[in-house]
């Protein structure tokens, strides 16, 4: 019984010391924390920074001077990867591809055999090399998730530094009617859950291409 009283007393003494320490006023260890920049100042132009960061996360960046250059690069990709079933569901993308007679699938026919999906995006996040997408376009989500290759067509005007800047672009575009789903894609799908080995394409595309038109 005496042992229990002694243990209780020791516990109370310890808690008393903790309370006393918490009540003591101390100098703030980081007095200028709120004024400190969250990120280091980037010196590279947005397009170069985005290309570097996208490549660092296993994405592939393709610069296109104009629409003709885009079509040439798409043809090169199709020939290199031996792609025959490339899908595009968004009207702006379909119109662009039709203009240069680039072959693609515009419906869901044989979608289970899709080899590549061609989509647009909301913004390109330079700091992380990420692609900001939403369900606000006619392509939905499946086109950028199901095929092994996801091709994103974007413009230099969509380049921003951070996610908050990308969301501001969306606010300007959609106003109060923001899409219900907004996602950030950073490189191909990946997981290290299996024996801690990095595997690409585990839950989505194995390859991510960003074709940026100047």
């Amino acid at each position: 019984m005496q042992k229990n009283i002694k243990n209780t007393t020791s516990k109370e003494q310890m808690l008393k010391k903790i309370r006393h320490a918490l009540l003591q006023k101390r100098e703030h260890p980081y007095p200028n924390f709120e004024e400190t920049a969250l990120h280091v100042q980037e010196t590279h132009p947005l397009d170069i920074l985005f290309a570097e960061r996208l490549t660092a996360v296993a994405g592939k960046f393709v610069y296109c001077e104009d629409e003709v250059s885009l079509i040439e690069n798409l043809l090169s990709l199709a020939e290199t990867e031996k792609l025959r079933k490339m899908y595009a569901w968004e009207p702006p993308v379909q119109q662009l591809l039709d203009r240069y007679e680039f072959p693609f699938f515009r419906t869901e026919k044989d979608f289970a055999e899709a080899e590549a999906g061609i989509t647009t995006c909301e913004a390109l996040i330079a700091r992380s090399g990420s692609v900001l997408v939403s369900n606000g376009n006619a392509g939905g989500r499946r086109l950028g998730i199901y095929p092994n290759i996801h091709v994103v067509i974007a413009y230099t005007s969509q380049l921003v530094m951070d996610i908050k800047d990308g969301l501001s672009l969306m606010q300007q575009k959609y106003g109060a009617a923001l899409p219900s789903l907004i996602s950030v894609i950073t490189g191909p799908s990946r997981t290290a859950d299996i024996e801690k080995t990095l595997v690409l394409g585990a839950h989505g595309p194995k390859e991510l291409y960003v074709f940026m038109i100047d």
Side-chain angles (χ1 to χ4, degrees), residues 35-53:
E35 289 77 28
T36 303
L38 181 60
H39 300 285
V40 297
Q41 185 68 33
E42 300 289 354
T43 56
H44 292 308
L46 289 181
D47 54 350
I48 295 176
L49 181 62
F50 175 80
E52 289 178 347
R53 299 293 164 84

Side-chain angles (χ1 to χ4, degrees), residues 13-205:
Q13 290 177 347
M14 179 185 68
L15 292 174
K16 185 177 180 180
K17 288 180 180 179
I18 293 174
R19 292 192 189 98
H20 179 73
L22 291 174
L23 290 173
Q24 298 299 310
K25 290 186 177 180
R26 299 170 185 243
E27 291 185 5
H28 198 299
Y30 305 103
N32 300 319
F33 179 76
E34 293 184 1
E35 289 77 28
T36 303
L38 181 60
H39 300 285
V40 297
Q41 185 68 33
E42 300 289 354
T43 56
H44 292 308
L46 289 181
D47 54 350
I48 295 176
L49 181 62
F50 175 80
E52 289 178 347
R53 299 293 164 84
L54 175 67
T55 304
V57 292
K60 297 177 181 178
F61 178 81
V62 181
Y63 173 77
C64 306
E65 292 182 355
D66 49 30
E67 292 182 352
V68 174
S69 176
L70 167 70
I71 298 300
E72 290 174 347
N73 283 306
L74 280 175
L75 285 171
S76 177
L77 172 64
E79 291 173 357
T80 301
E81 299 292 339
K82 296 180 173 56
L83 302 176
R84 294 296 177 267
K85 292 189 175 180
M86 303 177 74
Y87 285 70
W89 290 341
E90 299 169 69
V93 177
Q94 292 179 343
Q95 293 165 13
L96 172 59
L97 299 180
D98 282 338
R99 193 151 56 239
Y100 298 94
E101 300 181 355
F102 183 89
F104 67 95
F105 285 72
R106 65 180 68 240
T107 68
E108 296 189 30
K109 181 181 178 181
D110 297 328
F111 185 63
E113 301 172 11
E115 297 168 332
I118 306 173
T119 74
T120 61
C121 68
E122 299 293 351
L124 302 177
I125 313 301
R127 193 183 298 281
S128 59
S130 303
V131 181
L132 188 65
V133 298
S134 79
N135 64 343
N137 56 55
R141 294 190 64 211
R142 288 183 299 154
L143 202 55
I145 294 177
Y146 183 79
N148 281 332
I149 296 177
H150 181 193
V151 176
V152 176
I153 296 178
Y155 294 84
T156 53
S157 59
Q158 293 177 288
L159 275 168
V160 295
M161 179 59 78
D162 294 300
I163 292 178
K164 63 179 179 62
D165 304 314
L167 294 175
S168 294
L169 272 185
M170 291 188 65
Q171 189 73 53
Q172 296 171 22
K173 179 179 178 181
Y174 295 101
L178 277 174
S180 59
L181 177 68
I182 301 173
S183 302
V184 176
I185 301 173
T186 305
S189 170
R190 68 189 67 207
T191 183
D193 291 341
I194 305 172
E195 297 183 357
K196 305 302 180 183
T197 301
L198 183 64
V199 178
L200 297 181
H203 309 295

